[in-house]
Amino acid sequence: MLMDSIGKQTADREMLDSLSRALGVSGFEQEVGSWYIENIAASVDKSFSDTMGNAYGVISGTGNGKNIMLEAHADEVGFQILHIGENGQLYLRRNGGVDEQCIPGSQVIVKTRKGEYIPGIIGKKPIHLMSTDDRKRTIELNQLWIDTGLDVDEVRSRISVGDIVAVRANWMWLGENRISGKSLDNKIGVYVLTKVMQALSKRKPLCNTVTGVATAQEEVGSRGVVVAGYRTHPDIAVTIDVDFSTDVPDCSPSRYGKISLGQGVVIPINVDSDFGLCLQLEHMAQECGIPYQMSARPHATGGTNTSRLQLVREGVRTIALGIPCRYMHTPVEMCDMRDVEASIRLIVEMVLSVE
């Protein structure tokens, strides 16, 4: 049994490592979508992609069960090339809510329209050359640039305006359970979705039809999930995303609620989530001994795909399950694999229990 556990842990880490290297800047999620379809291919009855870049896997039900949609957004915050300067510096425009204060000095990858992967760094004026007032000011994106180390002629021949830019894959393990790096929002959700679909395939035949979707363009307005919702027409939809872990300094529980790494999956109660589903999942977590945390969330609505998916067609019963995450939208996001495992267990139990 110990060797089986070690083998599973090794396989899971290799799976996470390969996912970390898939680029998924909002609007350009194809690599993450391909990774998802490849890893669920043996577990589903059919898989496909649509024009938005959403990637689907379907496990068909056997009877008059529910149509359940599970979704995790595949995109990560990143950039596109806005301008190429006289000396070959590359200036950027954001795709999604990048935290500019955290990116100077980052290593990045430029993926060109020709399919090349060109490494670079995000540079800025040295602090020695900045005035006292400049040092106090908030950094703005147009004060930063990418330096590829290439001559300007080579830059212009290989890189074009509109090419995408992502922070270089940098996932690392901190202790036994915690993982840190860029784009855990929401590749860790895609990982959970993949593991759920694999687990459900082992419980066939299922009464309910389950469609797992790695959705596109969440970070730029939850666009892909609307198309996926219309195509799937679910009775129930579960969004898998990261949630704010407030167990850090200057993040008051009285303002943001109390959510901690390693204490379980987050079950929200706000207007984006169906109240009956919230109570059902809370009861299920208690009955099954699955670690969980309840949250009213900092805002009544918004922040995940559920706010858009809930309004598709005549309305959808939705719930957004959260994986606690520190340092969101920075290159060093952090999650705890015990929360990840709790979310996988709870979603599998929910799908199997729905009548």
Side-chain angles (χ1 to χ4, degrees), residues 54-242:
N54 298 312
Y56 302 75
V58 181
I59 300 175
S60 300
T62 59
N64 296 320
K66 297 292 186 182
N67 186 8
I68 300 174
M69 175 180 169
L70 311 175
E71 71 90 14
H73 73 86
D75 57 319
E76 61 184 288
V77 295
F79 312 91
Q80 286 182 259
I81 303 297
L82 179 68
H83 173 67
I84 301 176
E86 292 183 1
N87 295 317
Q89 291 95 344
L90 305 172
Y91 293 89
L92 303 169
R93 188 257 292 136
R94 295 181 299 173
N95 280 28
V98 176
D99 187 344
E100 288 96 339
Q101 311 310 306
C102 297
I103 62 171
S106 295
Q107 296 178 337
V108 296
I109 296 293
V110 180
K111 184 179 180 181
T112 73
R113 63 184 64 182
K114 301 173 185 177
E116 288 188 272
Y117 296 81
I118 299 175
I121 59 165
I122 294 184
K124 59 182 280 292
K125 182 191 291 187
I127 194 169
H128 316 69
L129 306 182
M130 297 171 67
S131 68
T132 301
D133 287 341
D134 285 342
R135 295 179 190 182
K136 294 178 181 178
R137 292 192 182 103
T138 299
I139 295 172
E140 296 184 7
L141 192 57
N142 62 9
Q143 297 173 302
L144 306 173
W145 57 82
I146 293 176
D147 191 335
T148 63
L150 303 175
D151 294 336
V152 61
D153 290 340
E154 188 172 1
V155 170
R156 292 186 181 278
S157 68
R158 298 173 65 185
I159 298 174
S160 304
V161 168
D163 287 347
I164 63 170
V165 179
V167 173
R168 183 174 176 269
N170 63 344
W171 288 11
M172 64 185 296
W173 290 88
L174 299 173
E176 182 179 351
N177 295 303
R178 291 181 178 172
I179 186 170
S180 175
K182 66 103 178 187
S183 75
L184 288 174
D185 178 13
N186 184 38
K187 286 181 180 174
I188 203 68
V190 174
Y191 172 80
V192 169
L193 177 63
T194 304
K195 297 293 285 186
V196 167
M197 296 301 284
Q198 291 175 346
L200 289 173
S201 72
K202 298 175 182 177
R203 307 294 289 270
K204 291 181 181 178
L206 302 180
C207 176
N208 302 304
T209 292
V210 181
T211 304
V213 193
T215 51
Q217 300 187 34
E218 188 267 359
E219 299 290 1
V220 290
S222 295
R223 292 158 53 83
V225 76
V226 176
V227 174
Y230 268 90
R231 176 185 286 269
T232 306
H233 201 180
D235 299 301
I236 295 172
V238 180
T239 288
I240 309 161
D241 206 341
V242 293

